[in-house]
Amino acid sequence: MSALRRREVVKALLAERGDLLVVAGLGSTSWDCTAAGDHPLTFPMWGAMGLAAMTGLGLALAQPGRRVLVITGDGEMLMGLGSLATIGVQRPANLSVVVVDNERYGETGMQHTHTAHGVDLAGVARAAGFATAVLVRESSAIEALRRTVHREPGPHFAQVKVAPEKESVVLPPREGTILKNRFREALLGAGAHLQ
Ligand SMILES: Cc1ncc(C[n+]2csc(CCOP(=O)(O)OP(=O)(O)O)c2C)c(N)n1
């Protein structure tokens, strides 16, 4: 069985995304999402670490009629581990968190994270009260995960093991104000940035 490749996983999860709201974790997962296609309804965290899942929770609670997907790295998720407990308490049915787990801090030198030493993020999410929490190692499971994220009542969590490979850097727009305003306009309509 060959290891999953992060770019292919993220591209597959974002296929036919419709009006899905996406929060992309800092660094590599932001570049993965941009490589799949820059989109006004993707909010990349750029360099902010540890709060991707909480940003997704806020969005999910504020927009209960929309689906929200957080795609982040294992190092980023480990930094904000307590957010899994908060999501487990709030239980928003429209929120999914997918961790692209290369077992490394990829952007800063490929140092091992705790998942390389066996920390079971899906187990933590399950214990915290997510509706589903899965460990994914095979490409055959990705399409089912995509459907779950897009349609099934959650909250959902997936820890997707991927190869620790360094991909090209594909940058989203750099300016935070532009990213915020275009996201708000795409979600709330023209003029939303003035509110
Ligand atoms: C608060 C804070 N600490 C450290 C960093 C430096 N930093 C940037 S990316 C990164 C690694 C992220 O690792 P992971 O989430 O596993 O993503 P990967 O690139 O491995 O997919 C770190 C430590 C930062 N941006 N912010």
Side-chain angles (χ1 to χ4, degrees), residues 6-7 10-11 14 24-38 42 44-48 71 106-108 166-174 179:
R6 58 185 307 145
R7 285 277 151 96
V10 170
K11 189 174 177 200
L14 294 179
L26 88 164
S28 307
T29 43
S30 282
W31 322 154
D32 294 335
C33 289
T34 310
D38 186 34
T42 297
M45 302 308 294
W46 260 98
I71 302 179
E107 285 287 302
T108 49
K166 197 83 183 137
E167 291 286 0
S168 59
V169 174
V170 185
L171 300 179
R174 196 184 208 123
L179 288 167

Short mmCIF file of all heavy atoms in Angstrom, two decimals, residues 6-7 10-11 14 24-38 42 44-48 71 106-108 166-174 179:
data_model
loop_
_atom_site.label_atom_id
_atom_site.label_comp_id
_atom_site.label_asym_id
_atom_site.label_seq_id
_atom_site.Cartn_x
_atom_site.Cartn_y
_atom_site.Cartn_z
N ARG A 6 -0.54 14.32 0.04
CA ARG A 6 -1.37 15.39 0.61
C ARG A 6 -2.10 16.20 -0.45
O ARG A 6 -3.28 16.55 -0.28
CB ARG A 6 -0.52 16.29 1.51
CG ARG A 6 0.67 16.94 0.82
CD ARG A 6 1.51 17.72 1.85
NE ARG A 6 0.67 18.64 2.59
CZ ARG A 6 0.85 18.94 3.88
NH1 ARG A 6 1.87 18.44 4.53
NH2 ARG A 6 0.04 19.79 4.48
N ARG A 7 -1.44 16.54 -1.54
CA ARG A 7 -2.09 17.36 -2.56
C ARG A 7 -3.29 16.65 -3.16
O ARG A 7 -4.34 17.28 -3.43
CB ARG A 7 -1.08 17.72 -3.67
CG ARG A 7 -0.06 18.79 -3.26
CD ARG A 7 -0.62 20.19 -3.41
NE ARG A 7 -0.02 21.11 -2.47
CZ ARG A 7 1.02 21.93 -2.71
NH1 ARG A 7 1.56 21.95 -3.91
NH2 ARG A 7 1.47 22.73 -1.78
N VAL A 10 -6.24 16.60 -0.51
CA VAL A 10 -6.94 17.89 -0.35
C VAL A 10 -7.74 18.21 -1.61
O VAL A 10 -8.90 18.66 -1.52
CB VAL A 10 -5.92 19.00 -0.02
CG1 VAL A 10 -6.57 20.37 -0.09
CG2 VAL A 10 -5.32 18.76 1.37
N LYS A 11 -7.16 17.96 -2.76
CA LYS A 11 -7.89 18.22 -4.02
C LYS A 11 -9.18 17.38 -4.08
O LYS A 11 -10.24 17.87 -4.45
CB LYS A 11 -6.98 17.88 -5.21
CG LYS A 11 -7.55 18.31 -6.54
CD LYS A 11 -6.54 18.08 -7.66
CE LYS A 11 -7.19 18.46 -8.97
NZ LYS A 11 -6.53 17.89 -10.12
N LEU A 14 -11.90 18.69 -1.78
CA LEU A 14 -12.48 19.97 -2.20
C LEU A 14 -13.19 19.88 -3.56
O LEU A 14 -13.72 20.89 -4.04
CB LEU A 14 -11.39 21.05 -2.26
CG LEU A 14 -10.79 21.43 -0.90
CD1 LEU A 14 -9.70 22.48 -1.06
CD2 LEU A 14 -11.87 21.93 0.06
N ALA A 24 -8.27 26.94 6.09
CA ALA A 24 -7.04 26.20 5.81
C ALA A 24 -6.01 26.54 6.87
O ALA A 24 -5.72 27.71 7.12
CB ALA A 24 -6.52 26.54 4.42
N GLY A 25 -5.44 25.51 7.52
CA GLY A 25 -4.42 25.71 8.53
C GLY A 25 -3.19 26.37 7.97
O GLY A 25 -3.01 26.47 6.75
N LEU A 26 -2.31 26.81 8.88
CA LEU A 26 -1.16 27.58 8.40
C LEU A 26 -0.23 26.74 7.54
O LEU A 26 -0.22 25.51 7.61
CB LEU A 26 -0.36 28.16 9.58
CG LEU A 26 0.76 27.29 10.21
CD1 LEU A 26 1.66 28.15 11.05
CD2 LEU A 26 0.18 26.14 11.00
N GLY A 27 0.53 27.44 6.72
CA GLY A 27 1.59 26.79 5.96
C GLY A 27 1.07 25.79 4.95
O GLY A 27 0.21 26.11 4.12
N SER A 28 1.56 24.57 5.07
CA SER A 28 1.37 23.58 4.01
C SER A 28 -0.09 23.34 3.63
O SER A 28 -0.40 23.20 2.44
CB SER A 28 1.99 22.25 4.45
OG SER A 28 3.32 22.43 4.84
N THR A 29 -1.00 23.29 4.62
CA THR A 29 -2.38 23.02 4.23
C THR A 29 -3.00 24.23 3.52
O THR A 29 -3.88 24.07 2.67
CB THR A 29 -3.26 22.58 5.43
OG1 THR A 29 -2.97 23.39 6.57
CG2 THR A 29 -3.01 21.13 5.77
N SER A 30 -2.51 25.44 3.83
CA SER A 30 -2.96 26.60 3.04
C SER A 30 -2.46 26.48 1.60
O SER A 30 -3.20 26.75 0.65
CB SER A 30 -2.43 27.91 3.63
OG SER A 30 -3.18 28.29 4.77
N TRP A 31 -1.21 26.01 1.45
CA TRP A 31 -0.69 25.87 0.08
C TRP A 31 -1.42 24.73 -0.65
O TRP A 31 -1.70 24.83 -1.85
CB TRP A 31 0.82 25.61 0.05
CG TRP A 31 1.74 26.30 1.03
CD1 TRP A 31 2.94 25.83 1.46
CD2 TRP A 31 1.59 27.59 1.68
NE1 TRP A 31 3.52 26.72 2.34
CE2 TRP A 31 2.73 27.80 2.50
CE3 TRP A 31 0.59 28.57 1.66
CZ2 TRP A 31 2.91 28.94 3.29
CZ3 TRP A 31 0.76 29.71 2.46
CH2 TRP A 31 1.90 29.88 3.24
N ASP A 32 -1.76 23.67 0.09
CA ASP A 32 -2.51 22.55 -0.53
C ASP A 32 -3.86 23.03 -1.05
O ASP A 32 -4.28 22.68 -2.16
CB ASP A 32 -2.78 21.44 0.50
CG ASP A 32 -1.53 20.74 0.98
OD1 ASP A 32 -0.51 20.73 0.26
OD2 ASP A 32 -1.58 20.17 2.10
N CYS A 33 -4.55 23.82 -0.23
CA CYS A 33 -5.89 24.30 -0.64
C CYS A 33 -5.77 25.24 -1.83
O CYS A 33 -6.60 25.19 -2.75
CB CYS A 33 -6.59 25.00 0.53
SG CYS A 33 -7.12 23.86 1.82
N THR A 34 -4.74 26.09 -1.84
CA THR A 34 -4.57 27.00 -2.96
C THR A 34 -4.20 26.22 -4.23
O THR A 34 -4.69 26.54 -5.32
CB THR A 34 -3.50 28.06 -2.66
OG1 THR A 34 -3.78 28.65 -1.38
CG2 THR A 34 -3.49 29.15 -3.72
N ALA A 35 -3.38 25.18 -4.07
CA ALA A 35 -3.01 24.36 -5.23
C ALA A 35 -4.24 23.69 -5.84
O ALA A 35 -4.31 23.47 -7.05
CB ALA A 35 -1.98 23.31 -4.83
N ALA A 36 -5.23 23.39 -4.99
CA ALA A 36 -6.48 22.78 -5.49
C ALA A 36 -7.36 23.82 -6.19
O ALA A 36 -8.34 23.47 -6.82
CB ALA A 36 -7.23 22.13 -4.33
N GLY A 37 -7.02 25.10 -6.04
CA GLY A 37 -7.80 26.18 -6.66
C GLY A 37 -8.10 27.28 -5.65
O GLY A 37 -8.85 27.03 -4.70
N ASP A 38 -7.47 28.45 -5.86
CA ASP A 38 -7.77 29.57 -4.95
C ASP A 38 -9.27 29.86 -5.00
O ASP A 38 -9.88 29.79 -6.07
CB ASP A 38 -6.96 30.80 -5.39
CG ASP A 38 -7.11 31.96 -4.41
OD1 ASP A 38 -7.25 31.70 -3.21
OD2 ASP A 38 -7.11 33.11 -4.88
N THR A 42 -12.41 30.15 0.80
CA THR A 42 -11.34 29.52 1.59
C THR A 42 -10.64 30.61 2.36
O THR A 42 -10.22 31.62 1.78
CB THR A 42 -10.32 28.79 0.69
OG1 THR A 42 -10.98 27.73 0.02
CG2 THR A 42 -9.18 28.21 1.54
N PRO A 44 -7.37 31.07 4.41
CA PRO A 44 -6.09 30.49 4.83
C PRO A 44 -5.53 31.21 6.04
O PRO A 44 -5.55 32.43 6.11
CB PRO A 44 -5.20 30.68 3.60
CG PRO A 44 -5.76 31.86 2.89
CD PRO A 44 -7.21 31.98 3.25
N MET A 45 -5.01 30.44 6.99
CA MET A 45 -4.47 31.04 8.21
C MET A 45 -3.07 31.62 8.01
O MET A 45 -2.55 32.28 8.91
CB MET A 45 -4.44 30.01 9.35
CG MET A 45 -5.78 29.39 9.72
SD MET A 45 -7.11 30.55 10.05
CE MET A 45 -6.54 31.35 11.52
N TRP A 46 -2.45 31.30 6.88
CA TRP A 46 -1.12 31.82 6.54
C TRP A 46 -0.07 31.43 7.59
O TRP A 46 0.62 30.46 7.42
CB TRP A 46 -1.15 33.33 6.33
CG TRP A 46 -1.19 33.70 4.88
CD1 TRP A 46 -2.30 34.02 4.15
CD2 TRP A 46 -0.09 33.76 3.96
NE1 TRP A 46 -1.96 34.28 2.85
CE2 TRP A 46 -0.61 34.14 2.71
CE3 TRP A 46 1.28 33.55 4.07
CZ2 TRP A 46 0.20 34.30 1.57
CZ3 TRP A 46 2.09 33.71 2.96
CH2 TRP A 46 1.53 34.07 1.73
N GLY A 47 0.10 32.22 8.65
CA GLY A 47 1.16 31.91 9.62
C GLY A 47 0.63 31.78 11.03
O GLY A 47 1.40 31.67 11.99
N ALA A 48 -0.69 31.80 11.20
CA ALA A 48 -1.30 31.74 12.53
C ALA A 48 -1.51 30.28 12.92
O ALA A 48 -2.16 29.53 12.20
CB ALA A 48 -2.62 32.50 12.55
N ILE A 71 -9.24 22.26 7.22
CA ILE A 71 -8.18 21.36 6.77
C ILE A 71 -6.87 21.88 7.37
O ILE A 71 -6.45 23.00 7.05
CB ILE A 71 -8.07 21.33 5.23
CG1 ILE A 71 -9.40 20.91 4.61
CG2 ILE A 71 -6.95 20.40 4.79
CD1 ILE A 71 -9.39 20.87 3.08
N GLY A 106 6.23 20.39 8.93
CA GLY A 106 6.80 20.42 7.59
C GLY A 106 7.48 21.73 7.23
O GLY A 106 8.58 21.74 6.66
N GLU A 107 6.86 22.82 7.60
CA GLU A 107 7.36 24.13 7.16
C GLU A 107 8.64 24.54 7.86
O GLU A 107 9.36 25.41 7.39
CB GLU A 107 6.30 25.20 7.43
CG GLU A 107 5.14 25.21 6.47
CD GLU A 107 5.53 25.73 5.10
OE1 GLU A 107 6.00 26.86 5.02
OE2 GLU A 107 5.37 24.98 4.13
N THR A 108 8.91 23.95 9.02
CA THR A 108 10.02 24.46 9.83
C THR A 108 11.17 23.47 9.95
O THR A 108 11.99 23.58 10.86
CB THR A 108 9.51 24.84 11.24
OG1 THR A 108 8.74 23.75 11.75
CG2 THR A 108 8.71 26.10 11.21
N LYS A 166 7.79 17.13 0.75
CA LYS A 166 7.78 18.59 0.64
C LYS A 166 7.20 18.94 -0.73
O LYS A 166 7.75 18.55 -1.75
CB LYS A 166 9.23 19.09 0.78
CG LYS A 166 9.35 20.54 1.10
CD LYS A 166 9.20 20.84 2.59
CE LYS A 166 9.27 22.34 2.81
NZ LYS A 166 8.29 22.83 3.75
N GLU A 167 6.09 19.67 -0.73
CA GLU A 167 5.45 20.05 -1.99
C GLU A 167 5.84 21.49 -2.35
O GLU A 167 6.37 22.22 -1.51
CB GLU A 167 3.93 19.96 -1.84
CG GLU A 167 3.40 18.55 -1.71
CD GLU A 167 3.42 17.79 -3.02
OE1 GLU A 167 3.84 18.36 -4.04
OE2 GLU A 167 3.03 16.61 -3.00
N SER A 168 5.53 21.89 -3.57
CA SER A 168 5.79 23.26 -3.99
C SER A 168 4.92 24.22 -3.17
O SER A 168 3.83 23.84 -2.71
CB SER A 168 5.49 23.43 -5.47
OG SER A 168 4.14 23.11 -5.71
N VAL A 169 5.41 25.42 -2.99
CA VAL A 169 4.66 26.42 -2.24
C VAL A 169 3.74 27.17 -3.21
O VAL A 169 4.21 27.81 -4.14
CB VAL A 169 5.61 27.40 -1.52
CG1 VAL A 169 4.84 28.53 -0.86
CG2 VAL A 169 6.44 26.65 -0.49
N VAL A 170 2.42 27.02 -3.01
CA VAL A 170 1.44 27.70 -3.87
C VAL A 170 0.68 28.68 -2.98
O VAL A 170 -0.17 28.27 -2.19
CB VAL A 170 0.47 26.69 -4.53
CG1 VAL A 170 -0.46 27.41 -5.50
CG2 VAL A 170 1.24 25.59 -5.24
N LEU A 171 1.01 29.94 -3.09
CA LEU A 171 0.54 30.93 -2.12
C LEU A 171 -0.83 31.50 -2.46
O LEU A 171 -1.09 31.87 -3.60
CB LEU A 171 1.54 32.09 -2.03
CG LEU A 171 2.96 31.73 -1.60
CD1 LEU A 171 3.83 32.99 -1.58
CD2 LEU A 171 2.97 31.08 -0.22
N PRO A 172 -1.69 31.63 -1.46
CA PRO A 172 -2.93 32.40 -1.63
C PRO A 172 -2.58 33.89 -1.57
O PRO A 172 -1.44 34.25 -1.26
CB PRO A 172 -3.77 31.98 -0.42
CG PRO A 172 -2.76 31.62 0.63
CD PRO A 172 -1.54 31.09 -0.08
N PRO A 173 -3.57 34.78 -1.82
CA PRO A 173 -3.29 36.21 -1.63
C PRO A 173 -2.70 36.43 -0.24
O PRO A 173 -3.09 35.77 0.73
CB PRO A 173 -4.67 36.85 -1.76
CG PRO A 173 -5.45 35.90 -2.60
CD PRO A 173 -4.93 34.53 -2.25
N ARG A 174 -1.78 37.38 -0.16
CA ARG A 174 -1.00 37.53 1.06
C ARG A 174 -1.66 38.44 2.11
O ARG A 174 -1.41 38.30 3.31
CB ARG A 174 0.35 38.12 0.68
CG ARG A 174 1.38 37.98 1.75
CD ARG A 174 2.67 38.67 1.36
NE ARG A 174 3.78 38.02 2.02
CZ ARG A 174 4.83 37.50 1.40
NH1 ARG A 174 4.90 37.53 0.10
NH2 ARG A 174 5.79 36.93 2.07
N LEU A 179 -8.14 38.94 2.19
CA LEU A 179 -8.69 37.60 2.42
C LEU A 179 -9.97 37.66 3.24
O LEU A 179 -10.95 36.99 2.94
CB LEU A 179 -7.65 36.73 3.15
CG LEU A 179 -6.46 36.30 2.31
CD1 LEU A 179 -5.36 35.72 3.20
CD2 LEU A 179 -6.88 35.29 1.25
#
